[in-house]
Amino acid sequence: VLFAVCCPSGRLAETFPKRLEDTPTFPFYPEKEDAVYREGIFVGYRYYDIKRIEPLFPFGHGLSYTEFQYSDLAVEVKHTKKENQSDTTLDGGAQDVLVLVSLTVKNTGKMAGKEVVQLYVQDVYAPVLRPEKELKEFAKVLLQPGESKRVTFELNRRSFAYYDEKAKEWRVHDGKYTILVGASSRDIRLQAQVEAFHEKVNDIPEIHRNIAIKEAFRFPETVQQARELMNRLGISGMTEGTPFYELFSNFSIRAVCRMVGVNDEEMEGFLQKLRLASSKAKAKGSNGAE
């Protein structure tokens, strides 16, 4: 490598900060007895992303004696969901291929080399706290000078999922996701957006105060009351597909009720009505949609 006989292709598995003060542990370390890791899910590059801190060397960074060009990003959304599988959970379907991502990588330099193509996923309207982007796939490809190759990634439901601590399961919510492809976490070359998981299914979720309020829009008996709650948030005329709908409809029923001043008794009455509508839909084998 030192004499350019071969081309380096290693990539950093961590982030190098410019200053010690930029690290998440700086305000708390060293402590006398125990070191507490306070980053939560924002470990490594995720912390520097959400804090908008420019690192010295970002996660995934690496040097090369040649250069690579990325082009022709294509994203194909597939529908391989099994019958009766829920839209929002991964039970029994975590490995189903949902999205195929492909792009062309070309060696534009004068030396053979290997490029590490990295794919990140960003949840545009996350209903929970999530990193700005998450590494989901990567591939190393060997290219001769002037050579091009097509690189393909397969993304399944787990690629878009977050862990719901209360439900104790991995979940995927309806909405928009951005596919980001690049040479490091800070060197994003191509991106595309997909809108995922709007298939109609027969599965009816269990009704409790922590489910998304959008579930109430599935039933004629509760859709009007759900709209009234959303309107009290100041989002009158909310329609599916708008940014406001994507954001607020994924809030839990409990969160929306708290925000608009609905007490526990009123909320329980709404939930009871929703449970009855859900039971009725299950009995009919319907999905409850209007």
Side-chain angles (χ1 to χ4, degrees):
V1 173
L2 292 177
F3 295 98
V5 175
C6 62
C7 198
S9 60
R11 295 295 182 268
L12 291 178
E14 59 279 310
T15 301
F16 281 73
K18 288 183 177 179
R19 309 179 307 157
L20 179 62
E21 291 87 342
D22 291 339
T23 62
T25 56
F26 177 75
F28 315 107
Y29 188 84
E31 296 184 0
K32 292 183 179 180
E33 296 181 359
D34 299 319
V36 180
Y37 292 86
R38 305 168 190 262
E39 303 99 308
I41 61 173
F42 299 102
V43 176
Y45 70 90
R46 299 174 173 190
Y47 172 82
Y48 294 89
D49 280 352
I50 200 168
K51 289 292 187 178
R52 301 293 190 270
I53 298 174
E54 186 67 29
L56 181 63
F57 300 115
F59 172 85
H61 171 73
L63 299 176
S64 177
Y65 290 130
T66 188
E67 295 181 349
F68 300 94
Q69 181 184 74
Y70 292 44
S71 63
D72 302 326
L73 179 66
V75 178
E76 178 187 358
V77 179
K78 299 176 68 68
H79 302 287
T80 60
K81 183 185 299 185
K82 299 173 183 176
E83 187 177 358
N84 295 327
Q85 181 182 323
S86 170
D87 255 343
T88 56
T89 68
L90 293 172
D91 295 345
Q95 301 307 315
D96 290 350
V97 176
L98 290 181
V99 179
L100 288 177
V101 180
S102 60
L103 68 146
T104 299
V105 181
K106 181 179 181 180
N107 184 344
T108 59
K110 298 180 179 180
M111 185 175 184
K114 295 178 180 179
E115 174 68 332
V116 180
V117 184
Q118 302 163 40
L119 186 151
Y120 299 81
V121 172
Q122 178 186 62
D123 190 339
V124 179
Y125 302 114
V128 295
L129 189 63
R130 297 190 70 171
E132 185 172 289
K133 61 179 177 290
E134 302 170 36
L135 178 70
K136 296 301 179 179
E137 296 287 343
F138 63 90
K140 179 176 283 191
V141 54
L142 172 63
L143 295 168
Q144 299 299 320
E147 183 183 9
S148 298
K149 284 185 180 178
R150 197 74 181 161
V151 179
T152 300
F153 299 103
E154 295 182 348
L155 302 180
N156 55 36
R157 296 189 74 80
R158 189 63 173 267
S159 303
F160 300 90
Y162 66 92
Y163 189 73
D164 188 327
E165 293 184 0
K166 293 179 180 178
K168 293 182 171 55
E169 63 183 357
W170 290 91
R171 290 186 176 272
V172 177
H173 72 93
D174 293 356
K176 293 181 174 65
Y177 296 83
T178 303
I179 308 298
L180 306 161
V181 181
S184 79
S185 64
R186 292 298 177 96
D187 185 8
I188 301 300
R189 309 284 183 88
L190 302 170
Q191 60 181 282
Q193 198 168 88
V194 295
E195 192 157 354
F197 323 128
H198 284 294
E199 304 96 327
K200 296 292 184 182
V201 293
N202 291 327
D203 183 74
I204 305 296
E206 292 299 318
I207 305 302
H208 52 81
R209 62 179 59 191
N210 292 315
I211 67 168
I213 193 169
K214 67 181 178 183
E215 299 296 344
F217 284 78
R218 302 172 66 170
F219 308 107
E221 298 91 337
T222 56
V223 63
Q224 185 58 40
Q225 192 169 355
R227 287 198 178 111
E228 289 173 1
L229 287 172
M230 298 302 289
N231 288 342
R232 287 167 67 176
L233 284 172
I235 315 172
S236 59
M238 180 186 67
T239 56
E240 186 172 355
T242 63
F244 279 129
Y245 178 91
E246 297 288 350
L247 177 62
F248 287 100
S249 67
N250 283 295
F251 281 25
S252 70
I253 291 174
R254 180 174 64 174
V256 172
C257 287
R258 291 286 184 269
M259 292 168 71
V260 300
V262 172
N263 60 37
D264 287 344
E265 184 177 353
E266 289 180 273
M267 179 174 63
E268 188 54 41
F270 176 60
L271 287 170
Q272 185 59 30
K273 185 184 293 186
L274 188 54
R275 291 187 187 102
L276 291 173
S278 172
S279 299
K280 181 180 176 181
K282 286 180 180 179
K284 290 183 177 180
S286 167
N287 66 4
E290 288 185 287

